[in-house]
Structures are given as C-alpha cells and as structure tokens.
C-alpha cells in the first residue's frame, strides 16, 4: 500500500494575481490542472503559492474547511496496464497537491472478487469517497451499494458495474471503443476474408465485455462474410495464452485479424503472427512497454488507449463535486507507431 498525503490551507486568489501578474483565468487553469498552460507559467504560479504558504480557494468551502480521505482500489498483476493506470492516477494527484486530500491506494487481484469485496466492506466511515476499478461480481456490487448507503461516494474507474449502486462511472464508452476497433480492423483488412478472433484475459470486467460486444456489432453488420470467434480467456499465464494461440492457428488457418480487448499480453504472440502469410491484423488496448514495441515492430496495427492522467483529474474533481452525472466520459485515443505519446 502506498499513501499520498496532500495538504492545503485557505488562501485568496488575488494574492497570487498580485505576486505573479497573471490573469485570474490563467491561475485558475493552473490550479485546476487544465491544459493550455505553459510549463514556465505553471512554475511561476506554484512558486507564488509556495511563497504565500497557501493554496487558492478555488475548491468548495466544504473541502477548505476539513480534510478529506479517499481510497483507490487498483488491480495488481502481470497486466502492464495496471502500472500505467496507477502511475496516471498518481500524476494527476500530484497536480492537485493544493487540495486538503489524503489518498490511499489499495491493491487486489483481478481474479479475486472476494478480496476486493472484503476490502470494500472494511472501508471506514471517515472515508469520503472510494475510486475502484469495478468487477462484475455480486459480492463487489453489494459492497458498492453498502458504501453508497453509508454516504460514501463510489466512483467506478475504467470498468463499470452498471448493476450496482454507484455515484458515477469514469472512463471510456467501452461499447464505442469496441466499435472503433472494428472500424479500424475492417479498414485495415480491406477486402480480405477469413476469421477474426477476439481475445481477452477474463470475463469479470465489464469494459472487456462491452468492447467485445461493440466489436461484434460492427463486424457482423458491415462484414457478415467474416467469421467472428471469441477465444477462451487466457488469464495471466503466458503458457495458457500460447496454447490458445496454437489452437487458433490449427483451427483457423484463414485467421485475418485479432482484437485483444484487454488483459495481460498473450505470450508467444509475435511468433504466432509470423506463422501466417499474410500476418493477421492485430489491434490492442492501452499504451504499455509491450504495445509500444508491438506498434514499432509492426506486430500491432493500432492501439486504443485511455489518458490515465486526465481520468485521474476527472476522478479528483468528482470527489470534490457536490453533484455528478452518472457517467463522466474520457476520450478514446487511437495510436499508431508515429503518434505514440
């Protein structure tokens, strides 16, 4: 567990204007971590804040008056996106270092809903909000509902639990992300025929299922001549994913494309793709060290990703807000080798 503590005192924005000579609008953009501010301007504002020993009073009076504690539940395991997700959240938290907020990270296995639901049940009453990657499991959904009834804000992150009582979902429209992947796949295939395989690590996360559904909708509607299959879940074991890929090669020698909707990267994927001529078009999710290499080598044609830092900003603002819509969407980013961040 890692604990990040961010402290804040009340201050007036006019003091910062006086010290910096900047406009109120520019200072507001810095304080709320909005884009469009030069790094030199941001440094100037932060220097003034340090000199004053205050943070400007741009958040609600409720936050200014008392500390606020938040617990963030993130999966751990071999999936490299888990680290990308946590790094993005921590970067966003650092941008809001002038809030009176204490944030604690809790970890759980993506294959262990019992541990996550148990952790949620043990959340103390002084916690203002919980941010969690949601799991499709009755025990987790029940725990979310219990937190809501205790007056604790519940924000699902990346993957929603639509059957559960929660305050808001923060993340992509994953049905749209799957449809986007399908359009990219069909464009890359042109008039090529054959089989398209959907691969995922497990069926416990709603965002995987929604991407799978969206991909299937578009492919079935626009290219009914293509055969669409879903491979067995490959979990976190590279040897299992290699076995699944071998089975795919034997059963579907006409394999034209693979859509990896999420999870740990399948073991043996590069060697598998090289066994086909032409190689299948492969689309993955999230910018990780593996997917960067896969794009540069040509193994992946496209990668669809979250902006995890921006999602972290959305989450922190959601914690501070008095009222929220049910869904706080984030952008669907499309990457090729030439536009990686």
């Amino acid at each position: 567990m890692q604990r990040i503590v961010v402290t804040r005192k009340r201050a007036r924005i006019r003091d910062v204007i006086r010290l910096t000579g900047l406009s109120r609008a520019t200072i507001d953009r810095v304080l709320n971590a909005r884009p469009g501010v030069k790094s030199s301007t941001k440094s100037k504002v932060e220097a003034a804040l340090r000199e004053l020993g205050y943070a400007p009073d741009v958040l609600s009076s409720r936050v200014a008056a008392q500390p606020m504690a938040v617990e963030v539940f993130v999966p751990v395991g071999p999936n490299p996106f888990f680290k990308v997700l946590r790094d993005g959240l921590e970067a966003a938290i650092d941008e809001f270092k002038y809030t009176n907020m204490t944030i604690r990270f809790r970890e759980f296995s993506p294959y262990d809903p019992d541990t996550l639901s148990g952790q949620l049940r043990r959340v103390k009453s002084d916690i203002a909000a919980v941010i969690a990657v949601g799991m499709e499991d009755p025990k987790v959904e029940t725990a979310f509902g219990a937190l809501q009834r205790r007056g604790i804000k519940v924000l699902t992150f990346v993957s929603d639990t639509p059957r559960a009582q929660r305050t808001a979902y923060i993340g992509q429209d994953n049905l749209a992300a799957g449809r986007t992947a399908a359009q990219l796949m069909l464009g890359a295939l042109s008039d090529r025929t054959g089989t398209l395989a959907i691969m995922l690590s497990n069926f416990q996360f709603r965002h995987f299922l929604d991407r799978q559904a969206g991909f299937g909708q578009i492919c079935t509607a626009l290219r009914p001549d293509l055969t669409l299959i879903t491979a067995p879940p490959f979990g976190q074991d590279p040897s299992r994913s290699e076995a699944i890929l071998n089975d795919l090669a034997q059963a579907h020698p006409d394999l034209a494309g693979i859509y990896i909707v999420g999870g740990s990267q399948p073991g043996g994927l590069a060697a598998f793709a090289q066994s086909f001529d032409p190689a299948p078009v492969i689309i993955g999710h999230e910018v990780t060290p593996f997917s960067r290499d896969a794009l540069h080598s040509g193994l992946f044609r496209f990668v669809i990703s979250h902006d995890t830092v921006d999602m972290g900003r959305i989450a922190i603002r959601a914690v501070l807000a008095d009222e929220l819509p049910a869904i706080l969407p984030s952008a669907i980013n499309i990457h090729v080798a030439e536009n990686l961040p």
Side-chain angles (χ1 to χ4, degrees):
M1 181 190 75
Q2 180 172 348
R3 179 177 178 180
I4 298 177
V5 179
V6 192
T7 59
R8 175 185 195 268
K9 296 180 182 179
R10 261 186 109 106
R12 294 182 174 84
I13 200 168
R14 64 173 176 261
D15 298 326
V16 186
I17 295 172
R18 173 178 53 80
L19 278 180
T20 62
L22 297 171
S23 69
R24 179 181 293 269
T26 297
I27 293 168
D28 181 73
R29 283 198 295 272
V30 174
L31 294 170
N32 288 282
R34 297 191 181 100
V37 182
K38 294 180 180 178
S39 59
S40 58
T41 301
K42 180 180 176 182
S43 297
K44 188 175 184 179
V45 172
E46 291 180 344
L49 292 169
R50 286 192 295 270
E51 181 176 342
L52 289 167
Y54 296 108
D57 189 20
V58 295
L59 303 176
S60 69
S61 59
R62 174 175 60 84
V63 176
Q66 60 185 13
M68 178 178 288
V70 179
E71 292 196 348
V72 181
F73 294 83
V74 293
V76 292
N79 184 348
F81 177 60
F82 297 155
K83 183 178 186 307
V84 172
L85 176 62
R86 180 162 177 160
D87 288 348
L89 284 165
E90 291 183 348
I93 291 164
D94 187 60
E95 292 182 359
F96 284 81
K97 54 183 169 288
Y98 300 111
T99 60
N100 193 17
M101 189 182 296
T102 301
I103 298 181
R104 302 181 185 92
F105 282 88
R106 309 290 189 192
E107 299 175 343
F108 67 93
S109 165
Y111 298 89
D112 187 5
D114 289 340
T115 295
L116 176 57
S117 61
Q119 289 175 324
L120 292 170
R121 287 194 300 271
R122 290 191 293 274
V123 170
K124 296 180 179 180
S125 298
D126 61 346
I127 299 299
V130 161
I131 302 170
V133 177
M135 294 185 75
E136 289 271 286
D137 181 88
K139 294 182 288 295
V140 174
E141 293 163 354
T142 298
F144 281 154
L147 289 171
Q148 284 273 103
R149 289 190 293 275
R150 290 168 56 194
I152 297 172
K153 189 177 292 186
V154 176
L155 304 171
T156 54
F157 197 76
V158 177
S159 190
D160 197 12
T161 52
R163 295 193 301 259
Q165 294 179 356
R166 46 90 171 133
T167 310
Y169 161 65
I170 302 166
Q172 292 176 348
D173 178 339
N174 286 292
L175 196 65
R179 291 170 176 160
T180 300
Q183 294 283 7
L184 294 171
M185 177 68 76
L186 298 183
L189 290 175
S190 185
D191 59 355
R192 184 175 171 183
T193 60
T195 298
L196 299 181
I198 299 172
M199 297 190 70
L200 71 169
S201 61
N202 66 68
F203 294 108
Q204 292 180 298
F205 290 105
R206 169 55 56 180
H207 64 309
F208 292 169
L209 303 178
D210 284 348
R211 291 171 187 170
Q212 176 192 24
F215 187 82
Q217 288 173 358
I218 295 298
C219 291
T220 301
L222 300 183
R223 287 291 305 273
D225 58 308
L226 293 169
T227 301
L228 186 65
I229 64 168
T230 298
F234 54 83
Q236 302 186 94
D237 183 357
S239 63
R240 174 172 171 75
S241 60
E242 288 185 34
I244 291 170
L245 289 171
N246 289 333
D247 290 344
L248 278 178
Q250 293 179 16
H252 303 281
D254 64 341
L255 190 69
I258 301 175
Y259 176 39
I260 305 172
V261 303
S264 305
Q265 302 299 340
L269 186 61
F272 166 81
Q274 291 169 4
S275 69
F276 287 83
D277 187 16
V281 174
I282 303 178
I283 298 175
H285 273 265
E286 310 309 341
V287 176
T288 66
F290 175 87
S291 64
R292 283 179 180 277
D293 290 344
L295 281 174
H296 284 303
S297 69
L299 177 62
F300 280 12
R301 189 71 61 91
F302 302 100
V303 167
I304 298 171
S305 77
H306 293 86
D307 182 337
T308 56
V309 178
D310 189 58
M311 289 176 61
R313 297 182 188 116
I314 295 170
I316 295 170
R317 293 193 183 104
V319 170
L320 300 173
D322 291 324
E323 295 183 5
L324 290 172
I327 297 175
L328 297 166
S330 64
I332 298 172
N333 300 311
I334 302 169
H335 298 287
V336 294
E338 291 75 16
N339 74 342
L340 282 168

